[in-house]
Amino acid sequence: KAGVTQTPRYLIKTRGQQVTLSCSPISGHRSVSWYQQTPGQGLQFLFEYFSETQRNKGNFPGRFSGRQFSNSRSEMNVSTLELGDSALYLCASSTEVPYGELFFGEGSRLTVL
Amino acid sequence: KNEVEQSPQNLTAQEGEFITINCSYSVGISALHWLQQHPGGGIVSLFMLSSGKKKHGRLIATINIQEKHSSLHITASHPRDSAVYICAGPTNTGNQFYFGTGTSLTVIP
């Protein structure tokens, strides 16, 4: 059974640009959640989707958005990138509602120059 | 003040030692997760528990809901256990998910 797949794994952007990250959950998992990890702030919750609906959102500005498709794949978008957005972005999928056992992807490492 | 606090922040142990990592939380959490992160970033879920005790191999996790406290124990530690261990959990309403700051464990052969 394939694990959680995140793409791209690494990317470099410049300030002001936007970025879209993708997460394909484990087959059959309907919940996808996103997290940001930085050396200074550690792991922080971004948002959680279930059956194409954003059910919960962490304390991040509106520049951070996401969506989930009917096949449970999810994307997150960050617009008007800032230097502080440089981070490892992780997604996790689970079967249960809410936040069952989490299966994490390897993450997308974003560097903003 | 962090909603989820872990101790110790750093831990060095000799191979074979019994290790305990503690997690205390100040908010109502519906289920406590213990996660392991190796250098390079990958995170693995070790346990999810809302009451009592769970055991998997050499790892044991316990939780006391009333005291809002959980512990992760590693018996007969091994160098491959070297990693960052993180406790985390969603609030009872599910509208937020809090993480501890992590415990960096190094097991020396």
Side-chain angles (χ1 to χ4, degrees), chain B residues 36-55:
Chain B
Q36 180 193 56
Q37 185 171 33
H38 282 284
I43 294 179
V44 173
S45 175
L46 298 175
F47 295 102
M48 182 185 72
L49 66 166
S50 54
S51 65
K53 176 180 174 178
K54 287 190 175 181
K55 183 176 188 293

Side-chain angles (χ1 to χ4, degrees), chain B residues 60-87:
Chain B
I60 303 167
T62 63
I63 189 167
N64 185 318
I65 298 293
Q66 288 73 26
E67 295 186 4
K68 293 185 176 178
H69 181 270
S70 177
S71 294
L72 176 68
H73 306 286
I74 304 175
T75 62
S77 58
H78 189 276
R80 65 174 174 268
D81 297 327
S82 297
V84 175
Y85 293 83
I86 303 164
C87 65

Side-chain angles (χ1 to χ4, degrees), chain B residues 29-41:
Chain B
I29 286 180
S30 59
L32 198 289
H33 296 247
W34 280 102
L35 310 172
Q36 180 193 56
Q37 185 171 33
H38 282 284

Side-chain angles (χ1 to χ4, degrees), chain A residues 1-111:
Chain A
K1 200 174 188 181
V4 177
T5 304
Q6 290 189 246
T7 56
R9 291 291 312 280
Y10 303 91
L11 67 167
I12 299 173
K13 294 285 187 179
T14 57
R15 279 182 300 175
Q17 287 187 311
Q18 74 162 13
V19 65
T20 299
L21 308 177
S22 178
C23 174
S24 293
I26 290 172
S27 177
H29 287 194
R30 295 166 65 190
S31 172
V32 174
S33 48
W34 289 89
Y35 308 90
Q36 182 197 64
Q37 186 174 35
T38 60
Q41 298 295 321
L43 277 159
Q44 294 182 280
F45 168 69
L46 279 159
F47 22 66
E48 187 253 344
Y49 288 88
F50 184 83
S51 293
E52 302 179 65
T53 300
Q54 183 184 92
R55 298 185 305 146
N56 298 295
K57 189 175 192 295
N59 299 323
F60 279 80
R63 300 186 296 108
F64 292 80
S65 63
R67 57 179 176 169
Q68 186 181 33
F69 302 96
S70 58
N71 61 358
S72 293
R73 189 178 71 85
S74 178
E75 288 181 347
M76 67 162 284
N77 183 276
V78 188
S79 62
T80 319
L81 285 166
E82 300 176 0
L83 295 178
D85 297 331
S86 295
L88 179 67
Y89 290 88
L90 292 152
C91 80
S93 73
S94 68
T95 57
E96 299 169 31
V97 179
Y99 308 112
E101 181 183 3
L102 297 172
F103 295 84
F104 285 84
E106 291 295 312
S108 293
R109 188 168 294 280
L110 170 65
T111 301

